[in-house]
Amino acid sequence: MNIKHFVNMTSRAWAVPILSNLHAGIAGRQAPLLAATGASRTAFAQSMDHLIEIGLLERNPGYGHPLRPEFRLTQRGISAAALAHKIQNLSAAEDRALLRKSWTLPVLTSLHRPRHFNDIKRNLHTITDRALSQSLKSMEQRDWVERHVDDPARPPRSLYRAVNTGGLISQVTASDIHFTS
């Protein structure tokens, strides 16, 4: 998967949990998926619409009542769901809120090896300085990212690397995500 597609996929909070649950065999109807993810109805509906729009999910054309539609993974969605399931299995339940933040997974993927701030930003073309800074800080607080400041350098430069759960997620995603355009 291309990094741009990965950024787009993870831009909705509940996209990764939805894909992971579909991969795990949860029925592709709204009620079971909603219960499995714990999302609000509005956020869930927005994430489902987004996944359909980017081509990872589709409505099952031969099933169901219009008010109780069934969804299924597309061919592209099958590989995305497998990756989402690996990510979900690596994180503890209390870490899932951090995973739902839009830049957490792309930043971790970029940190498959230690990088400077500008190198991360270069990999994630559309991220702003503020969003990257906030994402790194929230992952530092959770001990998913470690920051080392090179004081002798002028100006001092920070080097970031994924550690602990962040390191595991980074290794898993880096093997499936490509940074070429």
Side-chain angles (χ1 to χ4, degrees):
M1 179 183 302
N2 185 297
I3 188 65
K4 289 179 185 175
H5 294 126
F6 188 63
V7 167
N8 196 10
M9 178 184 98
T10 59
S11 67
R12 296 287 180 182
W14 295 99
V16 170
I18 289 168
L19 291 171
S20 175
N21 281 301
L22 284 169
H23 180 78
I26 301 292
R29 293 182 308 279
Q30 182 174 333
L33 281 172
L34 194 57
T37 60
S40 72
R41 286 186 182 278
T42 303
F44 177 83
Q46 290 172 346
S47 293
M48 292 294 283
D49 289 344
H50 179 71
L51 289 170
I52 291 168
E53 183 180 312
I54 63 173
L56 299 179
L57 279 184
E58 64 185 4
R59 287 183 184 264
N60 189 347
Y63 178 83
H65 188 277
L67 297 177
R68 291 186 300 278
E70 183 174 292
F71 302 92
R72 64 183 182 192
L73 295 166
T74 62
Q75 279 304 116
R76 282 186 45 214
I78 291 170
S79 60
L83 179 60
H85 191 67
K86 286 187 224 175
I87 292 166
Q88 287 284 105
N89 285 339
L90 289 174
S91 60
E94 62 270 9
D95 293 332
R96 303 274 165 81
L98 183 57
L99 281 180
R100 288 192 308 269
K101 291 187 177 191
S102 60
W103 286 106
T104 297
L105 290 171
V107 169
L108 282 175
T109 301
S110 184
L111 289 173
H112 62 279
R113 61 186 175 92
R115 294 193 185 273
H116 294 284
F117 186 91
N118 285 332
D119 297 332
I120 300 168
K121 190 167 191 271
R122 216 171 286 119
N123 278 337
L124 308 172
H125 307 287
T126 57
I127 194 168
T128 64
D129 288 343
R130 184 172 190 265
L132 178 54
S133 178
Q134 287 179 338
S135 183
L136 288 166
K137 281 180 188 174
S138 65
M139 287 187 282
E140 272 185 90
Q141 291 169 349
R142 186 70 77 169
D143 288 327
W144 283 16
V145 170
E146 194 175 74
R147 177 178 174 240
H148 172 74
V149 179
D150 185 11
D151 285 326
R154 290 289 172 233
R157 295 180 67 186
S158 296
L159 187 67
Y160 297 92
R161 71 183 185 101
V163 294
N164 304 324
T165 303
L168 294 173
I169 292 170
S170 179
Q171 290 171 358
V172 165
T173 57
S175 63
D176 289 337
I177 306 300
H178 311 287
F179 289 95
T180 58
S181 34

